[in-house]
Amino acid sequence: MTDTAPLPQAAAVPATAPQGTDTPTAVPAAASHGTDTPANAPAAAPQETGTPAAPPSGLRDFYENPAVPVASGDGRSLRQARLLAAALAGRPGGTVVDVGCGDGTAAATAAPLLAGHRLIGIDWSQDALRRARPRMGAVVRGELEHGGLPLADGCADAVLFSEILEHLVDPDQALDELRRILKPGGHLMLSTPNLAAWYNRALLLAGVQPVFSEVSLRGIHGRPGSEVVGHLRLYTARALRSFLTASGFEDVKITGAPFHGVPRPLRLVDRAACAVPGAASILLAHARRR
């Protein structure tokens, strides 16, 4: 519902977008030359990388298109920020990295709750970073593949990874990279659409393509909504918990959040569904680096 994520072999990606409303935030892609790096950003860890294969130009064009959403509703962002603020309570001065910061909307929502902590935004899309800079200040261009994020090992106390996982070709490599930049015991705050959301269960029973899922980058087919945002993978609460645990994280806690694209008459039902994370629209995961 908000942040964007890197895609096919290095293409940045937007975030959730069911019902044609989900706003994804652009995703970080490989660290590139013209990066907008804050003066005091953590030093990039030296890495040996060959010449990465150029990603399909069509995907790059898709994710750099200003018409592709790079922000979403505040409900998920606010819930996530409250969870992170509680986790960092009593430990001021931490570094929080928003991977796939998009236009900075989510960070702006979280900033009042994260006062005293340093917030750095990373994204692949130059257009998204241009819009994020006034809201965040410290922004860096980077990606999760082909060399990794332009940050040093163990530099972050927490990582925000919102609405990006569903856009990734290689989520395993992405989580390895997030784990690398986190300090031992550091916090990962991740959000992603729920394949088993309450309305998706009903849609599947009726033989209708689930919300949040996409079968084409050119249009929506067989499901509600009209906005294409580039979702490649969808998770249930059980699958997400298992995946994070296998990726080197522990103390995985999953809660639910509403989706801003749900039709107004059904929003009370959507909020009520958050009491049962497995049926909520959006999955919020809080885990610690092992």
Side-chain angles (χ1 to χ4, degrees), residues 1 12 15 19 61 81 92-93 116 147-148 155 158 189 230 250 253 270 282 284 288:
M1 267 181 49
Q19 273 271 322
D61 291 343
C155 68
M189 310 299 297
E250 60 187 4
K253 297 179 179 63
D270 193 44
I282 305 297
L284 300 183
R288 295 173 67 94

Side-chain angles (χ1 to χ4, degrees), residues 21-50:
T21 338
D22 211 319
T23 297
T25 3
V27 175
S32 31
H33 20 283
T35 75
D36 298 302
T37 310
N40 56 344
Q47 308 194 28
E48 290 185 19
T49 57

Side-chain angles (χ1 to χ4, degrees), residues 16-20 22 193-216 219-227 229 231 233-236 259 281:
T16 71
Q19 273 271 322
D22 211 319
N194 184 9
L195 174 60
W198 60 276
Y199 39 79
N200 279 346
R201 301 183 189 207
L203 290 173
L204 279 170
L205 283 174
V208 177
Q209 186 81 9
V211 170
F212 304 117
S213 66
E214 296 180 346
V215 300
S216 169
I220 296 299
H221 302 283
R223 73 150 170 86
S226 60
E227 187 174 61
V229 294
H231 289 179
R233 300 179 183 275
L234 291 176
Y235 298 78
T236 63
F259 172 48
S281 285

Side-chain angles (χ1 to χ4, degrees), residues 115-197:
H117 299 289
R118 181 178 176 221
L119 190 58
I120 298 173
I122 301 182
D123 208 290
W124 174 81
S125 168
Q126 289 282 32
D127 179 69
L129 290 175
R130 177 183 57 78
R131 287 184 271 172
R133 190 174 292 106
R135 294 187 174 111
M136 299 187 68
V139 295
V140 185
R141 192 171 190 232
E143 70 176 339
L144 289 164
E145 301 171 337
H146 301 309
L149 300 173
L151 299 176
D153 294 357
C155 68
D157 296 279
V159 167
L160 290 172
F161 198 54
S162 303
E163 313 305 315
I164 295 180
L165 196 60
E166 60 273 17
H167 301 273
L168 300 177
V169 167
D170 189 349
D172 301 280
Q173 181 179 339
L175 286 190
D176 286 347
E177 185 63 4
L178 298 184
R179 189 172 180 277
R180 178 187 70 78
I181 68 170
L182 275 169
K183 297 177 180 177
H187 301 274
L188 171 64
M189 310 299 297
L190 179 155
S191 68
T192 191
N194 184 9
L195 174 60

